[in-house]
Amino acid sequence: MKTTEIHISGRVQGVGFRPFIFNLAEEFQLKGYVSNDELGVIIVCQGENSEQFFNEIHHRKPKSSEIIFSEIKEIETAEIFDNFYIKPTEKNIVVDIPLTPDFATCESCETELFDEKNPRYFYPFTTCTQCGPRYSVTKKFPFERENTAIEVFKMCPNCLAEYQNPEDVRFHSQTNSCPNCGIQIWLKDNQGNEFKGSNKEIFEKLAKELSQGKIVALKNTAGYLLMCDATNSEAILELRKRKRRPTKPFAVLFSGISTMKEYLEISELQIQHFKSSESPIIVTKIKDKKDLAIEEISPNMNTIGAMFPYSGTLKLISKTFGKPLIATSGNFHGSPICSTTEEAEQILGKIADYFLHNTLEIQHPQDDSVIKFSPKHHQKIVFRRSRGFAPNYFFAEELSELNKEKNKILSLGGDLKNTFAIVPNNHVYISEYIGDLANFETYERFENTVKSYQKIFNFQPEIILKDLHPKYENQNIISKFSKKSAQSARIEEIQHHKAHFASILGEKKLWKKDKILGIIWDGIGFGTSTEIWGGEFFLFENQKMERVAQLENFAWILSDKMSKTPKISALSISGNNEDLKFAFDENEWKIYTNLIEKSEIKTSSMGRFFDAVAFVLGYEKPLFFEGESAMWLEKISQDAFDENVKLIDYLEEENFENIPTKKLFSRILKEKISGKNLGEIGLNFHYTLIKAIEKIAEGFAVKEIAFSGGVWQNALLVDLVIEFLGDKFELHFHEKLSPNDENISFGQLNYYLKLK
Ligand SMILES: [Zn+2]
Ligand SMILES: [Zn+2]
């Protein structure tokens, strides 16, 4: 009897692959079995049509699955199968496959949620093989119920019948549960009083409290969200006050695409992404603000982060409430998102009036992912890569070729907007967004997440990659590894902006190119002991990376204070220009000008340059979050761009090797003083930078340009690059990773494997 063995690797666990194979094998009248193994899925079958069967697997695979590798071969066996079955996975295997992220609730499960006659009516945890939480409930892999937080809920006879029925959408659905056997929700006020009722009554009570201006902490699939009525200015201001978040925009949850269309300018492309299994928040232009309290939601902006109800809980609350809701990560001022009842009540107790808890234990808390499309050329820009995308992977064939010694690598990433990356096997795993490690709780989250990856992959790092910065928080973890492994691990340092460049080269698989220019612009990164970098040009040529140009240096003073106070950047870049005297009192003027004159530390930070220009054009407040003034500058400049004003290159007459910071800045100051339109000046500043890139690129005779660093979250800048350089150069932007410091971990890894 001919026996065939098939191996399939990729995203094939937790996506309904085994039940799919079972049904397909029946159709082809094959006998044998399918099972999960460390490399994905293994199928052993006997019958005539195994080759056709193999081809059909590729054509008809489940929607959320991805096949990266597959093979079919004949094997010898004495065993004769008399049926086809799903064989339980062997215990204690260590997987070498991509981890499966959380999936948004599918349309068929959504229908059940709102069907009065359905047993899952108002049951927020309605899932099937094609949808529901995965990574957030996973304790270890392979993805089997017993390895997840759902294990504690024993399936009732009905659920079990679905689980065992090959015709059912919940056949072998590991997350299957129902109101009888599954996860319970309960509602409490912040005094500890519990509200009793059915799920429907609980959501109705919640909606009633929200409509009276109350703030709710609601446990969603990957962590708590704070919510209030998005049409109620007072409620939003109260939330801002309690959360200590004065100005940073909030995301808004809509009940569905049709409601979104009433408020927002949304394209087909955006709708596709809202309805995808990742379902990120998308920063979208407002069409008609209607009843939205827009000034409180997104001060001074004409965009909002729009959230699609991607989980059962979000669908139920948004439909029951009937109006848009603020939906922001349930945390307090920079701490990580809360995920347990205790954490939520302790940390969010001073913010929320009500708590909607549930009995499902979150294993991997994650924030929502956020993306944007540039308005004109629809270039995708990732602002935060987390739930739905993480732990994203790259089956980096190139990397595994490079990592010939199969070293186990941990790459620590940056300190602000931290992520880390590991190579424990043939795959690269990039963690979800973790956040600013200067916050103690966030640092703890970082350490715990590293530990949980170590457990999943049975992993001790042999090589640890860190930033050049001598004082980054994330390197503290090295001392936490066992003495033996900490001593034997080799530690390598990689410069911040080189890591950024390596990150885009790696993401876009550009390592084989002869020559490519990297425009690496961000806030700050450690350059040398006297230089803070941030406006850098690198050339990758003959397999070497070299810094070839920069934003001309200016004095770096008062470190963090400079980052939060745009007028200091303006003063420094201007070289103590008297025209700025109006912004300082006598004492400040004396101290700052003196510090600037004597400063031994210089910077080429593009982020600070944007701050300085924003200041001159009217953004005179201190900043509450990184990039705040740059967002405002982008907005007024975008408005001018939309009006098709004539563009001026302020440096047209100049020849330069490095961008002449002071010269460009004094021109902007002059334009402002002469009373030109502020939006137009802002737009011309953006345009001048694009023309400067062009000059420098032509100087090095390159044909391709790659972009990385947080400044490239500026969608106008991206559109202008495409508009004016797109015909002359091949352009490469991040699409899977964020351009900001979230990509440092992946960049460190690439740099190490390729260039160290
Ligand atoms: Zn479903
Ligand atoms: Zn049940």
Side-chain angles (χ1 to χ4, degrees):
M1 167 98 47
K2 181 178 153 190
T3 305
T4 309
E5 190 175 282
I6 295 171
H7 287 271
I8 296 175
S9 199
R11 187 201 280 172
V12 290
Q13 295 188 3
V15 292
F17 216 86
R18 287 175 301 173
F20 155 71
I21 292 293
F22 177 91
N23 282 316
L24 196 65
E26 296 272 283
E27 194 182 313
F28 280 82
Q29 297 175 328
L30 298 171
K31 317 270 188 231
Y33 66 85
V34 55
S35 185
N36 281 342
D37 70 357
E38 54 273 274
L39 295 172
V41 164
I42 178 172
I43 303 157
V44 173
C45 58
Q46 293 171 338
E48 290 310 308
N49 305 318
S50 56
E51 241 121 78
Q52 253 176 298
F53 168 71
F54 180 68
N55 291 334
E56 278 306 292
I57 293 175
H58 293 80
H59 291 137
R60 281 152 65 176
K61 66 184 167 60
K63 206 178 86 197
S64 312
S65 66
E66 271 173 51
I67 297 176
I68 293 169
F69 168 83
S70 63
E71 66 172 4
I72 176 167
K73 62 183 182 207
E74 235 174 273
I75 55 163
E76 296 293 325
T77 176
E79 204 174 349
I80 291 180
F81 300 103
D82 51 14
N83 64 352
F84 195 91
Y85 64 102
I86 297 178
K87 188 174 163 182
T89 308
E90 294 195 17
K91 290 229 153 76
N92 299 322
I93 60 171
V94 177
V95 293
D96 184 1
I97 52 165
L99 307 186
T100 308
D102 292 350
F103 297 125
T105 304
C106 74
E107 282 179 9
S108 124
C109 287
E110 177 177 10
T111 313
E112 293 186 51
L113 268 185
F114 293 104
D115 175 4
E116 266 178 73
K117 294 193 191 80
N118 192 288
R120 289 188 175 84
Y121 182 52
F122 266 83
Y123 180 59
F125 311 95
T126 303
T127 63
C128 67
T129 54
Q130 295 307 300
C131 78
R134 300 288 186 269
Y135 179 59
S136 61
V137 296
T138 299
K139 291 178 181 165
K140 56 180 189 177
F141 281 80
F143 191 78
E144 300 285 352
R145 193 180 183 98
E146 68 205 41
N147 292 340
T148 71
I150 296 166
E151 188 211 2
V152 296
F153 307 99
K154 297 287 166 240
M155 278 187 275
C156 68
N158 279 340
C159 285
L160 197 62
E162 292 171 333
Y163 185 87
Q164 289 168 338
N165 176 7
E167 323 249 282
D168 199 284
V169 290
R170 301 200 168 91
F171 178 46
H172 262 262
S173 169
Q174 304 302 320
T175 53
N176 196 24
S177 68
C178 77
N180 291 328
C181 61
I183 300 141
Q184 305 297 315
I185 60 171
W186 75 99
L187 178 63
K188 242 169 117 173
D189 67 17
N190 64 6
Q191 303 301 309
N193 304 309
E194 196 178 326
F195 172 83
K196 301 246 188 289
S198 67
N199 282 4
K200 183 162 187 262
E201 285 161 349
I202 286 178
F203 277 99
E204 281 166 354
K205 163 81 174 163
L206 212 51
K208 195 176 135 216
E209 296 300 333
L210 284 163
S211 67
Q212 286 169 3
K214 294 290 194 294
I215 296 168
V216 171
L218 167 143
K219 189 176 181 185
N220 193 28
T221 37
Y224 280 80
L225 291 174
L226 284 163
M227 295 193 151
C228 71
D229 181 353
T231 68
N232 183 336
S233 308
E234 271 170 47
I236 302 169
L237 289 176
E238 186 61 27
L239 175 59
R240 288 202 174 281
K241 198 173 94 195
R242 294 188 196 170
K243 198 171 148 66
R244 282 220 225 144
R245 177 163 157 150
T247 54
K248 198 172 180 183
F250 284 135
V252 176
L253 171 69
F254 294 89
S255 61
I257 299 293
S258 59
T259 335
M260 284 178 165
K261 281 182 174 164
E262 293 171 25
Y263 292 89
L264 309 170
E265 274 179 23
I266 53 171
S267 63
E268 271 312 308
L269 183 68
Q270 284 167 318
I271 293 173
Q272 250 173 44
H273 279 76
F274 279 127
K275 292 171 99 176
S276 68
S277 65
E278 293 91 2
S279 194
I281 291 173
I282 306 180
V283 179
T284 311
K285 193 163 181 202
I286 294 161
K287 181 173 82 183
D288 179 358
K289 77 173 186 66
K290 300 176 64 156
D291 52 354
L292 281 180
I294 198 66
E295 261 316 300
E296 288 72 30
I297 297 170
S298 195
N300 301 317
M301 303 296 291
N302 53 6
T303 53
I304 51 168
M307 181 190 278
F308 181 79
Y310 57 81
S311 71
T313 309
L314 294 181
K315 286 183 194 299
L316 290 169
I317 189 60
S318 61
K319 277 258 167 62
T320 311
F321 184 61
K323 284 190 288 182
L325 282 161
I326 299 294
T328 184
S329 297
N331 62 1
F332 176 67
H333 193 61
S335 62
I337 188 167
C338 295
S339 64
T340 67
T341 313
E342 297 70 39
E343 233 175 32
E345 291 190 359
Q346 197 193 342
I347 295 166
L348 307 178
K350 289 200 177 70
I351 303 176
D353 302 304
Y354 285 89
F355 294 90
L356 181 69
H357 296 303
N358 68 55
T359 51
L360 180 63
E361 268 183 38
I362 294 171
Q363 305 300 313
H364 293 274
Q366 300 155 78
D367 294 274
D368 282 296
S369 297
V370 184
I371 66 169
K372 180 177 181 174
F373 294 94
S374 70
K376 182 146 192 198
H377 293 283
H378 312 291
Q379 175 66 41
K380 181 179 165 197
I381 303 169
V382 177
F383 282 55
R384 184 165 67 201
R385 188 188 130 280
S386 196
R387 182 210 33 91
F389 296 105
N392 207 347
Y393 64 94
F394 293 80
F395 182 74
E397 279 166 75
E398 291 186 349
L399 279 189
S400 68
E401 260 171 49
L402 292 170
N403 190 17
K404 282 202 185 68
E405 290 149 36
K406 302 250 178 243
N407 282 315
K408 294 183 191 297
I409 308 172
L410 167 66
S411 168
L412 296 174
D415 244 13
L416 214 68
K417 299 192 193 318
N418 171 270
T419 69
F420 62 88
I422 64 166
V423 183
N425 49 38
N426 287 315
H427 291 85
V428 179
Y429 303 84
I430 306 167
S431 78
E432 60 274 29
Y433 162 84
I434 292 178
D436 180 0
L437 302 185
N439 177 295
F440 179 70
E441 286 86 17
T442 310
Y443 176 78
E444 281 189 323
R445 170 81 34 102
F446 162 76
E447 220 175 87
N448 291 335
T449 313
V450 173
K451 279 183 198 152
S452 100
Y453 274 58
Q454 286 190 280
K455 225 191 273 167
I456 290 174
F457 297 109
N458 189 17
F459 163 78
Q460 282 296 335
E462 293 157 349
I463 294 166
I464 299 172
L465 308 177
K466 66 183 272 290
D467 196 86
L468 267 187
H469 196 296
K471 284 186 184 152
Y472 262 11
E473 296 291 336
N474 60 19
Q475 54 192 310
N476 293 333
I477 199 169
I478 298 172
S479 65
K480 298 288 169 66
F481 295 127
S482 72
K483 241 203 178 119
K484 206 176 121 219
S485 79
Q487 278 167 357
S488 62
R490 197 162 84 235
I491 295 167
E492 296 275 355
E493 294 183 337
I494 290 148
Q495 200 277 329
H496 185 94
H497 301 93
K498 289 181 178 169
H500 268 310
F501 191 20
S503 183
I504 182 69
L505 292 174
E507 182 184 327
K508 291 289 160 142
K509 301 192 190 322
L510 303 171
W511 288 116
K512 298 203 168 108
K513 299 282 180 182
D514 299 332
K515 194 175 184 182
I516 184 161
L517 186 69
I519 315 294
I520 313 302
W521 291 354
D522 67 359
I524 44 171
F526 189 87
T528 68
S529 60
T530 57
E531 273 184 62
I532 290 165
W533 293 3
E536 316 307 317
F537 294 77
F538 290 91
L539 198 61
F540 177 67
E541 191 178 16
N542 301 325
Q543 302 294 304
K544 283 201 185 69
M545 189 187 284
E546 196 192 347
R547 183 180 184 228
V548 291
Q550 62 176 99
L551 194 61
E552 259 174 22
N553 279 336
F554 47 96
W556 173 259
I557 63 166
L558 297 163
S559 59
D560 269 3
K561 185 163 182 183
M562 185 171 183
S563 304
K564 292 191 174 109
T565 322
K567 67 179 183 182
I568 299 178
S569 296
L571 187 65
S572 169
I573 291 172
S574 76
N576 293 340
N577 188 321
E578 300 267 334
D579 286 335
L580 296 173
K581 216 164 181 174
F582 72 94
F584 301 87
D585 65 34
E586 215 172 296
N587 204 25
E588 280 178 331
W589 180 262
K590 221 170 96 190
I591 296 170
Y592 295 163
T593 51
N594 196 20
L595 282 172
I596 287 167
E597 250 166 59
K598 300 207 170 111
S599 172
E600 281 172 10
I601 302 181
K602 307 282 177 208
T603 183
S604 48
S605 166
M606 187 58 83
R608 295 301 82 78
F609 198 11
F610 270 79
D611 288 346
V613 174
F615 169 75
V616 168
L617 300 185
Y619 199 94
E620 297 180 4
K621 294 169 279 188
L623 308 185
F624 289 105
F625 62 94
E626 206 206 1
E628 187 174 10
S629 61
M631 270 170 60
W632 174 84
L633 180 59
E634 178 186 345
K635 191 238 162 204
I636 63 163
S637 308
Q638 179 75 51
D639 290 347
F641 185 58
D642 292 343
E643 282 166 25
N644 283 319
V645 301
K646 188 173 168 285
L647 295 162
I648 303 166
D649 174 4
Y650 291 148
L651 296 173
E652 195 176 1
E653 310 292 319
E654 308 289 332
N655 285 313
F656 50 83
E657 281 171 13
N658 296 319
I659 299 181
T661 317
K662 189 175 169 185
K663 199 171 268 172
L664 175 53
F665 187 77
S666 32
R667 172 71 186 268
I668 289 165
L669 199 55
K670 229 166 78 191
E671 297 283 316
K672 159 76 194 299
I673 291 167
S674 74
K676 294 264 167 57
N677 176 291
L678 301 178
E680 284 185 44
I681 304 173
L683 176 60
N684 288 332
F685 165 61
H686 283 76
Y687 178 67
T688 302
L689 292 177
I690 305 304
K691 298 304 276 183
I693 293 174
E694 184 179 10
K695 268 186 200 168
I696 289 171
E698 281 169 352
F700 289 102
V702 295
K703 294 194 184 71
E704 295 186 45
I705 311 177
F707 302 85
S708 190
V711 168
W712 296 104
Q713 290 182 141
N714 181 325
L716 172 63
L717 205 59
V718 168
D719 267 345
L720 291 172
V721 167
I722 298 172
E723 180 99 357
F724 294 104
L725 306 184
D727 292 340
K728 294 182 185 152
F729 304 93
E730 199 178 323
L731 307 171
H732 305 281
F733 295 97
H734 286 288
E735 283 175 307
K736 289 183 174 167
L737 297 176
S738 171
N740 71 32
D741 284 3
E742 286 182 30
N743 75 44
I744 290 291
S745 57
F746 183 65
Q748 289 170 337
L749 188 65
N750 274 272
Y751 188 92
Y752 170 76
L753 288 174
K754 191 67 199 176
L755 298 174
K756 273 273 181 183

